[in-house]
Amino acid sequence: MSIKFLPKGGVTSPLGFLAGAARGGIKTQGDDVALIVAENGASAAAVFTRNMVKAAPVLVSAQHAPSATTRAIVVNAGNANCCTGENGLRNARLMCELVAEKISCDICEVFVCSTGIIGHQLPMDKVAKAIAEIEVSRGDEASQKTACAVMTTDLVPKFIAAQREIDGVLITVGGQAKGVGMIGPDMGALDANGLHATMLSFLTTDAKIEKARLQTILEKVVERSFNSVTVDGDTSTNDTCFLLASGAANLEINERNQAQFEELVGAVCIELTKKIARDGEGATKLITIQVSGAPSDLDAKKIAMTVANSPLVKTALFGGDPNWGRISAAAGRAGVHFDAQKLGVKLGGIEVFQGGEPAEFEVVEAEAALKNEDILIEITIGEGSGAWTAWTCDFSYDYVKINAEYHT
Amino acid sequence: MSIKFLPKGGVTSPLGFLAGAARGGIKTQGDDVALIVAENGASAAAVFTRNMVKAAPVLVSAQHAPSATTRAIVVNAGNANCCTGENGLRNARLMCELVAEKISCDICEVFVCSTGIIGHQLPMDKVAKAIAEIEVSRGDEASQKTACAVMTTDLVPKFIAAQREIDGVLITVGGQAKGVGMIGPDMGALDANGLHATMLSFLTTDAKIEKARLQTILEKVVERSFNSVTVDGDTSTNDTCFLLASGAANLEINERNQAQFEELVGAVCIELTKKIARDGEGATKLITIQVSGAPSDLDAKKIAMTVANSPLVKTALFGGDPNWGRISAAAGRAGVHFDAQKLGVKLGGIEVFQGGEPAEFEVVEAEAALKNEDILIEITIGEGSGAWTAWTCDFSYDYVKINAEYHT
């Protein structure tokens, strides 16, 4: 059975999850604290930013990640609780404590996230007021309210769910994401050395999955989705992605059916990733960059991400200029060894560069293709079978406006 | 004796060099082909872009680099002669041939450079006409005319000379540079694998230096100057730097006096580097980023360049926002392992972040410091003695305008 998307679904679409949000007054308007609850607990997997500067909630959630069961995710928007020292760590722990009391669980069964301004202490009275007021429930409205509460400079909330039958059982994966600036996620498991913005994504499923397997699946899927999107390349101090599995659908994911489940989680993550790029700060276009024929997948990723981050490519796409020269130049500086004579570039399906020389194409056709809101750039390297897809957006006056007028 | 700058000097300031320019009609206006001639020949060192996509003149100049003597550098602006296939290579060689005939030397004694649009064949009739018309001469006017001819989107020509006495002999180093976009130079010697924007810089000196020693000096100096400047991080396909030593001052640079000479070349290169950053596309400010206390110099460079390339840092500086959170976050994503608790940031001499927490400072004072045209960012890592300085500019509406309205 193929994958079916539920465009209005979200984190409460799978069985076993409740969610809600309330306003504490941290943001200038709207709900700003959200809570996702696994009714009877869930096994959980987590990846965190690899930025050396990590926000307090990242450090606290990483301490809670080994817990056998997870009961809740609490998140606030409007303040990143980053570069806030010991006081910040105490506040992140206090957020978990308030939730643990509210739903009667252990503190280490609660994950915490924050997003917003760096370097300011959390207004804990406002956070506590909101946590006390949140009422969690089921249904699309609850999922959407939760997704809205986490928004900062996001223009639209980002949520989706998807379903497929695995071994005759209907399995649902729900998800939400936020983040349109400081977007260049590079997330992995937190290791003993503490190696580990703001992209926050929460995923839920009603499949039953053993914790170690769930972690392996999340790391694999994140690498091909959230870790492959960029708005400005600025990996945040708060990036976090959780995947909670309630087991309420009574199907165990094992060696044999894992690929089908992975594909389902991947489908949700890629949809959320595209929503992030499309809503990138100042973006007018969603750009998909497909690299193939690289020496390895890692090389293909390096090339795709270098093109996706190039200010010259991104401004040209904003201007609607089929400037394949900038694309080729960006590919060439990715740190991957290749023969420029074999390099090929297609823009919106039109071959513009091949065999070291410009292809014959009608500039007006290429310019017309660049007027679309969705633009595909295909780059062929001709050196192997490594392939990768990255997502980005164009670079507009509004990007500068949003980020130059934002004040500390 | 200390170093004395000659602000109006340039490539003809050292003994033994002539220069000139003429208009062929490749650019929309002004001179667009320039010629620098070493009257009696020079030993030469060269570094080229490490971008895998290399323009035809880079490939041809790299073939000519091993020549024991060098007589001339010919350069055109308005067309990069890049991604132009076999025809492009023939044209680059033809440019050398025309110069070799004009000044009676061997083709391999001529270096060639191009800068401008990618993917178009050079209009060789125009190039040939200009080469035939160029009259080379000595003096500041000739140096400046040559520096002007190489400009593309540059608003100002970039030239300087500097002098110091070494072993009782007055030694002069002259230089010129161009480039304000596609600036993220990463130049090195071309190796057998062909590993090797457009930043073009030509340096001359009247010291006498054996070719291998000259190459060592150039590579070392370029790493701490041109390879440490960024406007957009987009390493070009055409970046080239030449250093020609005429020997006309009758002083041999050897093991013992090399450091003094290196310092002199370094002074010229750093002045030219700052001129590039200050004139960066859309720039309103010159930003100097000094990193110290990193595990190694290479680590310090990674951190300095990551901060220098961060769109969030560059837009904040355009907006005059003392956003040390973005600076810390960029430092943390540079791929260098450090303890965020030891990280410190100063903006315009004002301590804004120290020991994992915001420092106490007056926001109005920090904002006032950011109103200057020259801004110093000091970052201390607290993990060793590695240090590096990088130069960049802010990111403005005009950067987007210049690059979105440019059409292929």
Side-chain angles (χ1 to χ4, degrees), chain B residues 14 67 106 123 148 169-170 175 178 184-185 200 221 223 246 263 290-291 331 337 345 351 358 398 404:
Chain B
S67 171
D106 198 89
C148 287
V169 180
L170 186 70
K178 69 79 54 182
L200 301 181
V221 168
E223 195 57 24
S246 70
E263 206 183 346
Q290 287 180 352
V291 175
H337 196 90
V345 177
E351 187 167 86
D398 278 353

Side-chain angles (χ1 to χ4, degrees), chain B residues 223-224 227-230 288-309 327 330-338 343-344 377-391:
Chain B
E223 195 57 24
R224 287 271 184 185
N227 279 2
S228 298
V229 66
T230 179
T288 303
I289 299 163
Q290 287 180 352
V291 175
S292 62
S296 70
D297 285 355
L298 185 64
D299 288 331
K301 185 184 182 189
K302 279 185 192 167
I303 293 169
M305 295 307 288
T306 303
V307 173
N309 274 316
I327 296 170
R333 72 170 170 92
V336 176
H337 196 90
F338 64 81
L343 186 65
I377 299 177
E378 294 159 274
I379 303 171
T380 51
I381 307 300
E383 300 276 5
S385 60
W388 206 271
T389 301
W391 295 271

Side-chain angles (χ1 to χ4, degrees), chain A residues 131-342:
Chain A
I131 290 175
E133 286 178 8
I134 294 173
E135 289 177 22
V136 292
S137 61
R138 240 178 284 276
D140 290 351
E141 212 176 305
S143 297
Q144 291 165 21
K145 189 177 165 70
T146 307
C148 286
V150 186
M151 290 162 65
T152 51
T153 47
D154 303 61
L155 297 179
V156 296
K158 298 162 187 72
F159 50 81
I160 198 163
Q163 296 180 319
R164 90 183 308 174
E165 255 182 37
I166 301 178
D167 297 344
V169 181
L170 186 69
I171 295 296
T172 307
V173 172
Q176 68 172 59
K178 68 80 52 182
V180 291
M182 206 176 261
I183 294 296
D186 177 24
M187 299 182 289
L190 195 93
D191 64 25
N193 292 318
L195 258 190
H196 287 287
T198 302
M199 200 292 309
L200 301 181
S201 180
F202 311 133
L203 306 164
T204 54
T205 182
D206 44 21
K208 188 174 176 190
I209 314 161
E210 179 263 319
K211 198 171 169 76
R213 185 182 298 276
L214 195 66
Q215 183 69 28
T216 305
I217 292 169
L218 181 65
E219 288 179 22
K220 200 165 156 190
V221 168
V222 163
E223 195 56 24
R224 288 272 183 184
S225 57
F226 300 121
N227 279 0
S228 298
V229 66
T230 180
V231 171
D232 43 30
D234 272 309
T235 307
S236 166
T237 50
N238 292 54
D239 288 336
T240 302
C241 181
F242 298 127
L243 170 53
L244 271 57
S246 69
N250 264 327
L251 174 88
E252 173 104 30
I253 299 301
N254 52 37
E255 194 74 36
R256 195 184 40 72
N257 59 16
Q258 181 172 332
Q260 287 176 79
F261 177 73
E262 238 173 67
E263 206 184 348
L264 184 63
V265 178
V268 168
C269 290
I270 284 173
E271 286 306 307
L272 290 173
T273 296
K274 285 156 78 173
K275 285 176 195 279
I276 288 171
R278 198 187 291 280
D279 194 24
E281 286 177 339
T284 72
K285 294 176 171 105
L286 167 67
I287 320 287
T288 303
I289 298 164
Q290 286 179 352
V291 175
S292 62
S296 70
D297 285 355
L298 185 62
D299 288 331
K301 185 184 182 190
K302 280 186 193 167
I303 293 169
M305 294 307 288
T306 304
V307 173
N309 273 316
S310 160
L312 287 174
V313 171
K314 285 160 69 84
T315 46
L317 291 167
F318 172 59
D321 180 18
N323 198 321
W324 55 266
R326 293 183 183 174
I327 296 169
S328 305
R333 72 171 171 92
V336 175
H337 197 91
F338 64 81
D339 178 356
Q341 299 303 312
K342 297 182 193 160

